[in-house]
Amino acid sequence: MSRNATRIGALRERIGDEILLEGWLYNRRSSGKLEFLLVRDGSGIVQCVAVKAELPEGVFARCATVTQESSVRVTGVVREDKRAPSGVEISLRDIEIVGASTDFPITPKEHGPSFLLDQRHLWIRSQRQAAVLKIRHTLVQACRDWLDADGFILADAPIFTPSACEGTTTLFETQYFDEKAYLTQSGQLYNEATAMAFGRSYCFGPTFRAEKSKTRRHLIEFWMVEPEVAFATLDDVMVLIERFVEGIVGRVLEKRREELKILERDVAPLERVRAPFPRVSYDDSARLLRGKGVPFEWGNDFGATDETVLTEGYDRPFFVHRFPAAVKAFYMKRDPGDDRLSLSCDLLAPEGYGEIVGGGEREDSLDRLVERIHEHKLPLDAFQWYLDLRRYGSVPHSGFGMGIERTLTWLCGIEHLRETIPFPRMLNRLRP
Ligand code: 4AD
Ligand code: MG
């Protein structure tokens, strides 16, 4: 934006003034003597009204020909309009077409998801998509602010890693000069090192999973915020998760009402997101599923449908804790009360959304951790640095990872997580 232009979001403070707007034509309606131009600039949409009788012929003619998504500079006077979402309307005085747009591929009519995903670089200009991405911006900021205020140090983990964190079936292998490397699945192992340096730390970045499944909940590249706390137990981390989730949801409700409204999100369920959250064991969840007639077998991980059924019993996020060790990663500490179980927890979002957070307590004994690495058939050498954390002042410690896109899908109340990231990477989709 040039220095002398006003953003649409700031027009309310300029009522009565002549201003310059810089943006793109969102839509246009005409009625012969009048042209109604909807202009967007990223901060909002405003209606500019051109009256034929009041304008030089050339100006009105330009208004009548400007096409969808042409970039424009509009000069006009700001008038109050209580019915408009922006609260104002512009009486157009002049218009300059900066860059014409011919046959913009996304029209107000319905398009299929595959077409829209091919046009993602243009689709993000639409009001709904922009609303989701603004909520994403606020969510990311809320995560950082909350953790920073709670004394966490941001210590980001590497993307290129020498070993697996979350199991070998979803690893992306890549060449790293003359050795093999893997794209990170989670920064957790590195967080465990930084937590031993800072007491509490977090990383926040992209993570990668070569997920062969095509679902509404899986991306190949997704963002995760991962806090880790020294001396914390499973119970401590569940308290951390619920305080954190309550805080960030509160922030989104406070800052993004307008965008949630654009998405027609019922905010009542989000307003109920108050700690403490219910806690239910894996055992009880398995029993509950069978009680509802779901043919669920003890020992399995929950599938998407199982999770959806589980969420029916709750009006707010809830924990499932103590999953069978066999379905969780090698680093999970076993439950001292039952060796088949791990000190793990997932947080499930209500309304059918399911898992948004995975976390738990880490194995802190050197010998047991070496045993697990063998059991999981992982290469011991690659984990020597990680084992050092148990050799030099090991402490009980716990942490979690929250998927940004899963969380946003729930907050926005949308069907599929592909709309929650600017450029989704999915099975069979690397473009644009
Ligand atoms: O449950 P996950 O696999 O846990 C971990 O990676 C732990 N190491 C985190 C930790 O304790 N530091 O993943 C954590 C969260 C999930 O709950 C989900 O929200 C998200 O990451 N997630 C995905 N989001 C989108 N697409 C995928 N393929 C995802 N896989 C996990
Ligand atoms: Mg998980």
Side-chain angles (χ1 to χ4, degrees):
M1 191 180 76
S2 62
R3 264 181 302 123
N4 46 357
T6 305
R7 296 210 89 194
I8 292 170
L11 286 175
R12 258 184 245 258
E13 291 112 68
R14 301 295 306 273
I15 290 166
D17 295 350
E18 178 169 300
I19 53 89
L20 169 68
L21 269 189
E22 293 175 326
W24 293 262
L25 187 86
Y26 196 66
N27 208 347
R28 182 167 59 84
R29 280 189 300 122
S30 43
S31 76
K33 297 188 178 75
L34 297 170
E35 288 290 336
F36 301 97
L37 310 183
L38 282 181
V39 175
R40 61 164 194 90
D41 71 350
S43 73
I45 297 186
V46 70
Q47 175 162 273
C48 305
V49 184
V51 183
K52 189 172 185 180
E54 292 172 4
L55 290 171
E57 219 169 282
V59 173
F60 191 78
R62 271 203 298 287
C63 288
T65 55
V66 57
T67 49
Q68 188 190 352
E69 287 304 321
S70 293
S71 47
V72 292
R73 282 198 191 94
V74 170
T75 329
V77 177
V78 186
R79 312 259 182 235
E80 187 165 24
D81 179 0
K82 292 218 164 76
R83 290 160 308 164
S86 63
V88 293
E89 185 178 88
I90 305 291
S91 296
L92 186 140
R93 291 263 170 89
D94 200 1
I95 184 167
E96 175 196 344
I97 295 167
V98 180
S101 156
T102 317
D103 300 330
F104 190 70
I106 305 173
T107 56
K109 69 162 207 240
E110 287 279 313
H111 297 287
S114 142
F115 173 84
L116 289 170
L117 285 165
D118 286 341
Q119 307 292 331
R120 185 65 177 166
H121 51 297
L122 303 175
W123 190 24
I124 52 176
R125 299 182 186 193
S126 81
Q127 216 183 357
R128 274 182 66 88
Q129 297 307 310
V132 173
L133 295 180
K134 284 182 183 179
I135 296 171
R136 178 185 177 105
H137 166 85
T138 299
L139 177 67
V140 169
Q141 198 175 38
C143 291
R144 289 192 182 282
D145 287 351
W146 195 95
L147 292 168
D148 297 350
D150 216 52
F152 283 78
I153 296 294
L154 173 70
D156 282 318
I159 305 279
F160 285 118
T161 63
S163 49
C165 177
E166 294 301 319
T168 47
T169 56
T170 61
L171 270 184
F172 258 112
E173 196 178 288
T174 177
Q175 203 58 32
Y176 194 78
F177 304 107
D178 45 17
E179 59 179 316
K180 279 195 175 38
Y182 307 99
L183 299 187
T184 183
Q185 298 167 303
S186 157
Q188 183 197 312
L189 306 186
Y190 296 93
N191 287 345
E192 292 181 54
T194 60
M196 299 306 141
F198 301 110
R200 34 181 58 201
S201 59
Y202 72 104
C203 68
F204 198 154
T207 48
F208 306 85
R209 308 258 172 114
E211 301 268 8
K212 304 277 158 45
S213 50
K214 211 170 162 182
T215 79
R216 300 187 286 123
R217 323 195 304 158
H218 288 95
L219 288 169
I220 303 301
E221 178 178 319
F222 63 98
W223 284 64
M224 195 160 36
V225 56
E226 298 183 82
E228 191 74 24
V229 186
F231 294 98
T233 61
L234 172 64
D235 284 337
D236 294 328
V237 85
M238 288 198 277
V239 170
L240 175 67
I241 294 167
E242 65 194 358
R243 287 174 52 233
F244 176 73
V245 170
E246 177 187 272
I248 58 177
V249 172
R251 173 76 84 87
V252 165
L253 282 172
E254 178 197 334
K255 301 275 182 199
R256 292 294 173 195
R257 287 272 161 181
E258 209 172 293
E259 286 74 16
L260 291 167
K261 205 167 155 193
I262 289 170
L263 299 172
E264 296 168 86
R265 175 60 161 122
D266 174 11
V267 294
L270 300 180
E271 277 163 347
R272 280 195 295 269
V273 179
R274 296 254 180 254
F277 300 158
R279 288 151 169 74
V280 50
S281 67
Y282 171 90
D283 276 358
D284 286 344
S285 309
R287 220 167 289 134
L288 201 139
L289 283 175
R290 297 170 72 104
K292 288 197 169 191
V294 180
F296 182 80
E297 270 186 54
W298 196 99
N300 287 349
D301 203 354
F302 298 128
T305 4
D306 302 322
E307 287 190 0
T308 302
V309 173
L310 287 175
T311 69
E312 284 164 8
Y314 299 93
D315 70 347
R316 67 198 64 208
F318 62 98
F319 291 103
V320 177
H321 58 85
R322 293 180 171 77
F323 285 77
V327 301
K328 289 290 182 187
F330 76 98
Y331 52 72
M332 290 283 187
K333 187 170 170 146
R334 296 289 169 95
D335 183 353
D338 183 344
D339 200 52
R340 297 170 309 158
L341 303 179
S342 59
L343 294 178
S344 53
C345 66
D346 278 7
L347 185 73
L348 275 65
E351 302 170 82
Y353 284 97
E355 180 191 346
I356 57 170
V357 170
E361 194 168 330
R362 323 308 187 186
E363 181 52 73
D364 51 292
S365 136
L366 177 63
D367 293 343
R368 279 197 295 269
L369 194 52
V370 170
E371 225 174 278
R372 302 285 175 255
I373 291 174
H374 287 309
E375 279 169 19
H376 284 255
K377 299 195 169 54
L378 294 166
L380 195 62
D381 264 3
F383 291 95
Q384 286 302 339
W385 71 270
Y386 181 63
L387 292 168
D388 273 353
L389 307 175
R390 279 69 180 171
R391 290 188 183 108
Y392 304 109
S394 187
V395 294
H397 61 288
S398 303
F400 71 90
M402 186 186 84
I404 293 300
E405 294 77 15
R406 292 262 186 99
T407 305
L408 273 167
T409 309
W410 161 54
L411 292 180
C412 295
I414 58 182
E415 273 288 303
H416 199 300
L417 90 176
R418 64 192 166 207
E419 292 176 37
T420 62
I421 185 163
F423 297 97
R425 293 291 168 259
M426 298 183 291
L427 194 63
N428 307 327
R429 183 166 290 280
L430 177 63
R431 295 179 177 80

